[in-house]
Amino acid sequence: MSFTKNRGLSESEIDKLVVLDVKDKDYFEGTPVTYQHGGGYLFCRDKEIMGWLFNQ
């Protein structure tokens, strides 16, 4: 965090950028993903995630 603070970002600005969103196994059900680590490509097809990303 000190790296971003040294760049002049406030705590609230950092909080907007740093998000840990770990999905439960239910998120992967009904997809072709057989293991969660391989599901990295799902985020680009997730309207909620992409909506958040492009609204930042």
Side-chain angles (χ1 to χ4, degrees):
M1 291 292 184
S2 61
F3 177 79
T4 51
K5 284 183 182 178
N6 289 339
R7 298 282 189 276
L9 295 175
S10 68
E11 288 289 331
S12 63
E13 290 171 318
I14 293 170
D15 288 343
K16 288 179 183 178
L17 296 173
V18 180
V19 176
L20 177 61
D21 184 6
V22 179
K23 302 294 186 190
D24 291 331
K25 69 177 186 169
D26 296 341
Y27 180 80
F28 300 92
E29 289 184 14
T31 71
V33 175
T34 57
Y35 62 105
Q36 293 177 1
H37 183 74
Y41 84 98
L42 291 176
F43 81 91
C44 64
R45 301 184 190 287
D46 188 310
K47 290 179 181 180
E48 184 177 336
I49 291 172
M50 296 309 286
W52 174 88
L53 179 64
F54 288 111
N55 285 315
Q56 297 306 307

